[in-house]
Each structure stands twice: as structure tokens, then as C-alpha cells.
Amino acid sequence: NPVISELFIRLDQQVIGQHLITLYDIRGKKIVERCLSEMTLSLDVSALAEGLYYLNLKLSNGHTTTFKVLKK
């Protein structure tokens, strides 16, 4: 972090199942939502404006984590 064109997401090997990745802008507007069933995912963020975004990861077990992402 920061990210310029691609955001790479890699999960632990211990996490198995369907997961939901959601990227929000600073105002809470949903920008991207993807299902993640593999261990890695690449999001193209090159078209996004510079600024702060929030990446929400909801695991198949119901656990949710949010990360700050700075786009340059």
C-alpha cells in the first residue's frame, strides 16, 4: 500500500470457501464487488481517482475485515 494500477489480494492457505471482496470509496459508495474462491485475486484500479478507499473482505465463515487502500 499504496497501489497504482493493480491491487493484489492473497489469502492464507487455511481459508477455504467462497469469500466476498468489496471496494468502497471514502463516501461509502460501492466501487467493485467480487467473489473470491481462489487464494489470490487481482483488481484493476488504474481507472480510479487518487485517494483513500476501503476494502472489505467477508470470509465464508462470516468473519469480516476492512483494510484501508491508498490509490496513487
Side-chain angles (χ1 to χ4, degrees), residues 29-48:
K29 179 182 175 189
K30 187 186 302 181
I31 305 295
V32 176
E33 187 172 76
R34 298 265 171 87
C35 285
L36 176 62
S37 57
E38 298 180 11
M39 302 310 277
T40 61
L41 175 70
S42 173
L43 290 178
D44 180 6
V45 295
S46 59
L48 296 179

Side-chain angles (χ1 to χ4, degrees), residues 1-8 43-51 53 69-72:
N1 212 351
V3 63
I4 296 173
S5 61
E6 278 191 274
L7 176 62
F8 294 98
L43 290 178
D44 180 6
V45 295
S46 59
L48 296 179
E50 290 185 1
Y53 293 84
V69 176
L70 181 60
K71 166 66 167 76
K72 283 199 163 195

Side-chain angles (χ1 to χ4, degrees), residues 42-68:
S42 173
L43 290 178
D44 180 6
V45 295
S46 59
L48 296 179
E50 290 185 1
L52 184 62
Y53 293 84
Y54 295 97
L55 179 73
N56 183 270
L57 170 61
K58 183 175 182 182
L59 301 177
S60 58
N61 64 8
H63 183 74
T64 301
T65 304
T66 302
F67 302 93
K68 290 181 183 179

